[in-house]
Amino acid sequence: MLHLVNKSPYSSSSLDSCLKFATKGAPIILFEDAIYGAMAGTSLESKMIEVMKDHPVYAIKEDLMARGVNNIIPGVREIDYTGFVELVEQHRPCTWS
Amino acid sequence: MLHLVNKSPYSSSSLDSCLKFATKGAPIILFEDAIYGAMAGTSLESKMIEVMKDHPVYAIKEDLMARGVNNIIPGVREIDYTGFVELVEQHRPCTWS
Amino acid sequence: MKFGVLVQEGPYHHQSSDSAYQFVKAAMDKGHEIVGVFFYHDGVINSTKLTDPQQDDRHIQKRWSEIAEKGVDLVVCIAAAKRRGINDDVLAPGFRISGLGQLTEMAIKADRFVSFGA
Amino acid sequence: MKFGVLVQEGPYHHQSSDSAYQFVKAAMDKGHEIVGVFFYHDGVINSTKLTDPQQDDRHIQKRWSEIAEKGVDLVVCIAAAKRRGINDDVLAPGFRISGLGQLTEMAIKADRFVSFGA
Amino acid sequence: MSEPTKMMFMMRKAPYGTIYSFEGLEAVLVMGAYEQDISLLFVDDGVYAIKKGMDTSPLGIKDFSPTFRVLDGYDIDKLYIDKESMEARGLTLDDFVVEPEVLDKEQIAKLMEEQDVVFPF
Amino acid sequence: MSEPTKMMFMMRKAPYGTIYSFEGLEAVLVMGAYEQDISLLFVDDGVYAIKKGMDTSPLGIKDFSPTFRVLDGYDIDKLYIDKESMEARGLTLDDFVVEPEVLDKEQIAKLMEEQDVVFPF
């Protein structure tokens, strides 16, 4: 299953809920305000590095650009909407808003 | 200043933001989904008991009733909308959504 | 006292509009003056006369129109309204569409200004 | 593949509708079939032809109507629409109002069903 | 005949503060008529949707919780609740208008993986 | 002449995911014309509203961040940012399109207490 998270991890518990139920290896896409979770040098960075031990983490490029975030945590994979579609081809999605 | 919080403390960081900036003695009204923070016997109860050492905490009766919450933490003051208005008479309000 | 109120969420979807209504009603019952209710962000959606809820649910738009009948100014932000498809063609009785200057004036006039939502 | 899409938030206020649009566009560009886009909750507000955003911003309703021109079924939930003042009088080209049965059928037909918002 | 589609309704939001759980329930009722494989999961603040003792009359808001009791008549009997969400909120099975099966997070993760569609409400 | 009303705009939401900060900014611009005592506070995810380097063109969404730069011309020069919110998000003053004054939570609490009106956006 592919997990889609769109809320800021600083103000919402959605990412935590997602992580609770995501099985090992399940990919996670951060988009909209959730991309702030992919930014390097933040209080959440170490947590995200732990997350990436169990899950491939993707961040939507268009959302990173819109928010002026260009320093992402090494290991987070930047994808565009075509990449988003490709992941949905491979996995059934589940949305955490 | 009177602090108004309407989001569930389980899914939103609004109550925490409010608590960060509320000065000692400033009253806090929990309404809408925030009233779940006033419920007894939860994982948040001990935190709320700490909060009440510094702030009078109110919960809106109509919202408690709507959600079937009748076991509130001792010390939380149940008020109706008239009580809400009276607190606003006494303090300028600040909303945390 | 003079109270101003801001409604920032749409009806039914969020409870903010209900809460604002309950607050306004209680304030009026206590004899306070409501200098105005300003509808901003999705709050503008409270003002459409096409609102048609289930019979056994409250009618949020009509509740507001009734408040207006008691002399309360209900102002809908034009910029926010245009983004969300609200204009004079669908405006319910008692609401008027105007600019953010009205919000400023309410905030200046009011002894207490209360925001619901956002 | 066959994709179904659910839009659960209003335009401009939340980005969900933008994201759904970007997703649908990218899926169509890759040759996928969109079995339908269902607008639920505040998502129904995407469908009003009275939408009138600033000139220098995107026109979310028109974007969807353009998607419809490419043969995509845009279905607005009637129950959610009535609560929020959306009916045939304000419905933009390419949208149709129908029941939740349509959502069920999309979900059954689609190989992948993607929800935006909620 | 094709296999029924496995659809899970995941309720994650508290009632009344937002309309998600109520409108989600409306969707569940309609889908019940389509003879698919439907399950309902209560997780996070969604567990509050089935709390007993709601009285929305002072607010004049429609109380939708009784509708959960009729789901059985629509052949929707797969109701699940997240143990952790329930316990963190100080709730037990006695607190609910229906009797969902209590699952831990591993069981829920497994159940989700089996679904064709997950609707978040 | 009466005293000017002390109004604080408290931006707490991230840009683009929701419209609050953008429509909040529109309100600030209008109020600037009324010669009141206006301040702008960036706190929680609201600090992202003034992040440098936004490029919304791939999404076709209007980029509103340049508008913050013109506030000065509207005599709105009291811009404050919460130190803790900024630091938790790995941001420094170099990251912003404007130069807010950095305040700690005690200073912000004090500033809030002085306000006649706080608008949350």
Side-chain angles (χ1 to χ4, degrees):
Chain A
M1 187 146 257
L2 169 67
H3 297 277
L4 309 177
V5 182
N6 76 332
K7 292 277 190 298
S8 162
Y10 295 95
S11 59
S12 160
S13 63
S14 289
L15 178 61
D16 289 331
S17 294
C18 163
L19 293 172
K20 189 170 138 184
F21 299 113
T23 51
K24 202 173 155 85
I28 298 170
I29 298 183
L30 305 176
F31 71 120
E32 298 182 13
D33 291 345
I35 62 96
Y36 292 118
M39 196 171 147
T42 74
S43 62
L44 286 178
E45 181 166 4
S46 59
K47 174 181 173 169
M48 292 308 296
I49 289 170
E50 280 305 303
V51 168
M52 282 191 284
K53 289 181 183 164
D54 285 334
H55 304 280
V57 173
Y58 299 84
I60 297 291
K61 187 182 172 171
E62 289 89 337
D63 283 318
L64 290 164
M65 287 173 69
R67 290 162 181 78
V69 175
N70 48 26
N71 51 332
I72 64 174
I73 303 169
V76 173
R77 307 172 200 188
E78 215 172 298
I79 54 170
D80 61 11
Y81 268 92
T82 304
F84 191 153
V85 170
E86 282 163 0
L87 282 166
V88 175
E89 290 167 6
Q90 293 157 34
H91 311 265
R92 287 184 300 273
C94 180
T95 301
W96 305 85
S97 276
Chain B
M1 189 145 256
L2 169 68
H3 298 277
L4 309 177
V5 182
N6 76 333
K7 292 279 191 296
S8 162
Y10 296 94
S11 59
S12 158
S13 63
S14 289
L15 178 61
D16 288 332
S17 295
C18 163
L19 292 172
K20 187 170 141 187
F21 299 113
T23 52
K24 203 174 155 82
I28 299 171
I29 297 183
L30 306 176
F31 71 121
E32 298 180 13
D33 291 346
I35 61 94
Y36 293 117
M39 196 171 149
T42 74
S43 63
L44 286 177
E45 180 167 3
S46 59
K47 175 181 173 169
M48 292 309 295
I49 289 171
E50 280 306 302
V51 168
M52 283 192 283
K53 290 182 181 163
D54 284 336
H55 304 279
V57 173
Y58 300 84
I60 297 292
K61 187 182 172 171
E62 289 88 339
D63 283 318
L64 291 164
M65 287 173 69
R67 290 161 180 79
V69 175
N70 47 26
N71 52 331
I72 63 174
I73 302 169
V76 174
R77 307 172 201 189
E78 216 173 296
I79 54 170
D80 61 10
Y81 268 92
T82 304
F84 190 154
V85 171
E86 282 163 2
L87 282 166
V88 176
E89 289 167 8
Q90 293 157 33
H91 312 265
R92 287 182 301 272
C94 179
T95 299
W96 304 84
S97 274
Chain C
M1 281 178 122
K2 292 177 180 170
F3 284 33
V5 171
L6 180 61
V7 179
Q8 312 215 66
E9 306 290 351
Y12 303 101
H13 199 100
H14 288 86
Q15 200 189 338
S16 296
S17 164
D18 289 282
S19 302
Y21 169 79
Q22 298 294 345
F23 179 84
V24 166
K25 210 163 50 104
M28 290 172 80
D29 285 348
K30 286 207 74 196
H32 294 295
E33 180 191 344
I34 308 294
V35 298
V37 181
F38 195 86
F39 294 87
Y40 200 31
H41 301 307
D42 268 1
V44 301
I45 299 161
N46 283 278
S47 71
T48 169
K49 67 182 175 194
L50 303 182
T51 308
D52 183 17
Q54 287 173 303
Q55 297 265 325
D56 55 350
D57 203 354
R58 79 279 192 207
H59 196 304
I60 294 180
Q61 169 260 305
K62 282 196 181 153
R63 276 183 171 179
W64 284 119
S65 291
E66 283 160 22
I67 292 284
E69 278 172 22
K70 294 180 181 157
V72 175
D73 195 14
L74 306 181
V75 184
V76 176
C77 172
I78 186 160
K82 290 177 85 162
R83 282 190 190 99
R84 293 160 180 94
I86 301 293
N87 66 21
D88 284 326
D89 294 345
V90 295
L91 203 67
F95 290 88
R96 65 188 178 96
I97 294 176
S98 188
L100 286 157
Q102 298 293 312
L103 171 61
T104 320
E105 288 180 13
M106 283 180 201
I108 294 169
K109 247 191 262 175
D111 300 306
R112 294 286 184 272
F113 193 87
V114 194
S115 298
F116 290 87
Chain D
M1 283 179 122
K2 292 177 180 171
F3 283 32
V5 171
L6 180 60
V7 179
Q8 312 216 66
E9 306 290 349
Y12 302 102
H13 199 99
H14 289 85
Q15 200 189 336
S16 295
S17 165
D18 290 282
S19 302
Y21 169 79
Q22 298 295 344
F23 179 83
V24 166
K25 209 162 49 103
M28 290 172 79
D29 285 348
K30 285 208 74 198
H32 294 294
E33 178 190 345
I34 308 295
V35 298
V37 181
F38 196 85
F39 295 87
Y40 200 32
H41 301 309
D42 268 2
V44 301
I45 300 162
N46 283 278
S47 71
T48 170
K49 68 182 176 194
L50 304 182
T51 308
D52 183 19
Q54 288 174 302
Q55 298 265 324
D56 54 351
D57 202 355
R58 80 278 193 208
H59 196 304
I60 294 180
Q61 170 260 306
K62 283 196 180 151
R63 276 183 171 179
W64 285 118
S65 292
E66 283 160 22
I67 292 286
E69 279 172 21
K70 294 179 182 158
V72 175
D73 194 15
L74 306 182
V75 184
V76 177
C77 171
I78 185 161
K82 288 178 85 162
R83 282 191 189 98
R84 292 160 179 93
I86 301 293
N87 65 21
D88 284 326
D89 293 346
V90 295
L91 203 67
F95 291 88
R96 66 186 177 98
I97 295 177
S98 189
L100 286 157
Q102 299 293 312
L103 172 60
T104 319
E105 288 180 13
M106 283 181 200
I108 294 170
K109 245 190 265 176
D111 300 306
R112 294 286 185 271
F113 193 88
V114 194
S115 297
F116 290 88
Chain E
M1 277 241 340
S2 59
E3 289 277 301
T5 303
K6 288 175 82 74
M7 301 195 275
M8 171 182 275
F9 289 81
M10 179 169 69
M11 300 220 171
R12 290 188 53 236
K13 315 275 185 177
Y16 306 116
T18 54
I19 203 171
Y20 297 107
S21 48
F22 177 29
E23 290 193 327
L25 178 59
E26 288 189 326
V28 175
L29 285 175
V30 170
M31 298 220 181
Y34 283 76
E35 302 191 353
Q36 303 299 316
D37 183 348
I38 293 180
S39 55
L40 226 72
L41 170 67
F42 301 95
V43 65
D44 296 340
D45 286 341
V47 302
Y48 293 128
I50 48 173
K51 177 99 180 56
K52 266 186 198 158
M54 294 183 184
D55 177 6
T56 56
S57 58
L59 294 174
I61 296 178
K62 182 176 171 168
D63 174 6
F64 65 87
S65 65
T67 309
F68 282 105
R69 292 206 193 93
V70 307
L71 287 178
D72 214 34
Y74 288 75
D75 283 332
I76 300 167
D77 51 9
K78 294 186 185 171
L79 271 59
Y80 305 102
I81 191 164
D82 173 42
K83 187 167 186 282
E84 210 175 285
S85 301
M86 191 177 89
E87 290 179 353
R89 287 161 184 80
L91 298 168
T92 67
L93 283 180
D94 289 338
D95 289 305
F96 302 124
V97 295
V98 287
E99 270 194 78
E101 186 180 341
V102 181
L103 301 181
D104 63 26
K105 61 185 180 183
E106 285 78 16
Q107 291 172 303
I108 291 173
K110 188 168 167 292
L111 195 67
M112 289 180 62
E113 287 291 336
E114 294 167 2
Q115 303 303 313
D116 294 309
V117 180
V118 179
F119 291 107
F121 286 125
Chain F
M1 277 243 340
S2 58
E3 290 277 299
T5 303
K6 287 176 82 75
M7 301 195 276
M8 172 182 274
F9 289 82
M10 180 169 68
M11 301 219 171
R12 292 187 51 236
K13 313 275 185 178
Y16 306 116
T18 54
I19 203 172
Y20 297 108
S21 50
F22 176 30
E23 290 193 328
L25 178 61
E26 288 189 326
V28 174
L29 286 174
V30 170
M31 298 221 182
Y34 282 75
E35 303 192 351
Q36 304 300 314
D37 183 347
I38 293 179
S39 55
L40 226 71
L41 170 67
F42 300 96
V43 66
D44 296 339
D45 286 341
V47 303
Y48 292 128
I50 48 174
K51 176 98 181 57
K52 265 185 198 160
M54 293 182 186
D55 177 6
T56 56
S57 59
L59 294 174
I61 296 178
K62 182 176 169 167
D63 174 6
F64 64 87
S65 65
T67 309
F68 282 105
R69 292 207 192 91
V70 307
L71 287 177
D72 214 35
Y74 287 75
D75 283 333
I76 299 167
D77 50 10
K78 294 185 184 171
L79 272 57
Y80 307 102
I81 191 164
D82 173 42
K83 187 168 186 283
E84 211 175 284
S85 301
M86 190 177 91
E87 290 178 353
R89 289 162 182 79
L91 299 168
T92 68
L93 284 179
D94 289 339
D95 288 304
F96 302 124
V97 295
V98 286
E99 269 194 78
E101 187 180 340
V102 181
L103 301 181
D104 62 27
K105 61 184 178 183
E106 287 78 16
Q107 291 171 304
I108 290 172
K110 189 168 168 291
L111 194 68
M112 288 180 64
E113 288 291 336
E114 294 165 3
Q115 302 302 313
D116 294 309
V117 180
V118 178
F119 291 109
F121 287 125

